[in-house]
Amino acid sequence: MEGETRMSIGRRIMGLLAGAGLAVGALIGTAAPAQAYSPNPDFNKYYRDTDNCPCSGGTLADPFDGTTFAKDAGGYAVKMELVDDGWFVGKVEFHPNDEKLWIYDTKNDGDTYFVSVGYFSGGSYHDLGTFSPPGTSAVVDKRIKDFDIPEGASVDISVYDASGHSDLIGAARGTGAAVA
């Protein structure tokens, strides 16, 4: 009887350990999505009249690849930076030359942000969609979107901490819009 009791206890302990291992594995395999920044990252934006470009340096400089805007008569470029607790976490650039949007993730923190883009032309608003950086394990992730926006159109760019256009971090829109 005493041998059976030790054997039963051993089986129970082994069963408990196996169950705990399965529970931990299940938790790891079903990790919750990354939490939103709270509070939101600091948001800075810098504009350039691209009549006077090429331009770079100054507020366009950053620790990753800097920003250079090409000459585009009538265009108005914007660079937006997201900084969380002193760390550069992302940047968004609109380049009027060729109407390109550059979206960067510069910190592998398991979080992302969402960029909504549209423009005003011909008396109506044209939604181009919502985009985010790819989110790989690379030091710097970037996504480049190439649009066909009419020359002179006002381009609205909004940066959100959530995919459903909620929790606005910052924007360049309306009277502060970029211009294609």
Side-chain angles (χ1 to χ4, degrees):
M1 175 121 163
E2 192 174 304
E4 284 183 48
T5 304
R6 284 186 197 153
M7 191 180 219
S8 294
I9 292 172
R11 285 182 181 159
R12 284 185 192 158
I13 289 172
M14 292 304 287
L16 286 172
L17 290 175
L22 289 172
V24 169
L27 287 174
I28 290 171
T30 59
Q35 297 300 307
Y37 289 108
S38 183
N40 282 340
D42 293 329
F43 182 83
N44 302 301
K45 58 186 170 185
Y46 307 102
Y47 294 96
R48 291 295 184 277
D49 178 347
T50 54
D51 283 344
N52 304 314
C53 289
C55 47
S56 61
T59 55
L60 298 181
D62 61 62
F64 299 96
D65 67 355
T67 301
T68 301
F69 293 120
K71 182 174 182 68
D72 186 351
Y76 212 61
V78 65
K79 174 185 180 181
M80 298 175 252
E81 299 174 344
L82 289 77
V83 178
D84 185 48
D85 197 24
W87 185 274
F88 221 102
V89 295
K91 67 177 180 168
V92 177
E93 302 169 358
F94 177 73
H95 295 253
N97 186 299
D98 292 332
E99 297 91 37
K100 289 188 179 177
L101 181 75
W102 295 54
I103 306 168
Y104 294 79
D105 182 352
T106 57
K107 185 175 182 188
N108 288 322
D109 56 2
D111 201 353
T112 193
Y113 59 93
F114 302 87
V115 182
S116 175
V117 184
Y119 67 92
F120 287 94
S121 180
S124 60
Y125 182 77
H126 305 271
D127 184 2
L128 296 174
T130 301
F131 312 96
S132 60
T136 70
S137 61
V139 174
V140 177
D141 286 324
K142 71 180 168 188
R143 171 161 294 156
I144 302 169
K145 299 301 292 180
D146 190 355
F147 299 114
D148 186 19
I149 301 172
E151 290 296 315
S154 294
V155 180
D156 284 350
I157 304 165
S158 301
V159 180
Y160 297 96
D161 199 9
S163 62
H165 293 197
S166 62
D167 197 4
L168 179 68
I169 296 172
R173 60 184 182 202
T175 57
V179 177

